[in-house]
Amino acid sequence: MLHKFKGTGVAPARPDALQILTGLVGGVAGIGAVAMLTQMAGVPLLMAPFGATCVLLFAAPGAPLAQPRNVIGGHLIAAAVGLVMMNVFGSGIWQMAAGVGVAIALMQFFRAVHPPAGANPLVVLTAGVHDWSFLVTPVLAGSVVLVAIALVINNVGQAKQWPQYWV
């Protein structure tokens, strides 16, 4: 039975220097822009799952999970699930577990799977967020800013073209 846990593939090759630099610059620019806008506007636009979103946007931009539909839609769906759980059932262990499970199922149903967004119900429930404006700031505004930064960073150079699709 242990042979099932060995794995059968080989680790992927290391990305080239340009892709590593893109990840570095993208992460700094993406989180930096969202953090600066947070300070300037005095409105919270930053949440922890956006760090993981940057990993996908700038280290794996060709992945389906890193396309705008998935980034924006996934974050909105999962945050909405968290808000429903909080407002209807309150916060607790089972609400957190159900929130993540329901968020995964709905992201799959709507074809907008974005793994970092799976943490959104936990963010909502652990922070005790009840206000539906959370969907606008930080969720929608922050994810749109990250997608906008990715549009610039991921299209530098003639051979690059991102995104692969919008909707």
Side-chain angles (χ1 to χ4, degrees), residues 47-66:
M47 57 183 194
F50 287 161
T53 293
C54 285
V55 174
L56 285 171
L57 284 173
F58 304 113
L65 307 170

Side-chain angles (χ1 to χ4, degrees), residues 73-160:
H75 276 299
L76 284 171
I77 290 165
V81 168
L83 285 164
V84 167
M85 295 303 291
M86 179 57 119
N87 285 296
V88 174
F89 302 107
S91 180
I93 293 169
W94 294 109
Q95 292 88 333
M96 290 181 203
V100 171
V102 170
I104 292 168
L106 288 176
M107 285 190 289
Q108 288 177 307
F109 180 81
F110 288 108
R111 298 178 306 132
V113 175
H114 185 63
N120 291 359
L122 300 176
V123 169
V124 170
L125 291 162
T126 57
V129 177
H130 287 88
D131 190 348
W132 287 90
S133 68
F134 186 81
L135 290 176
V136 177
T137 55
V139 177
L140 179 61
S143 58
V144 167
V145 168
L146 291 176
V147 165
I149 299 289
L151 274 170
V152 174
I153 304 262
N154 288 335
N155 284 305
V156 172
Q158 290 186 345
K160 292 186 169 188

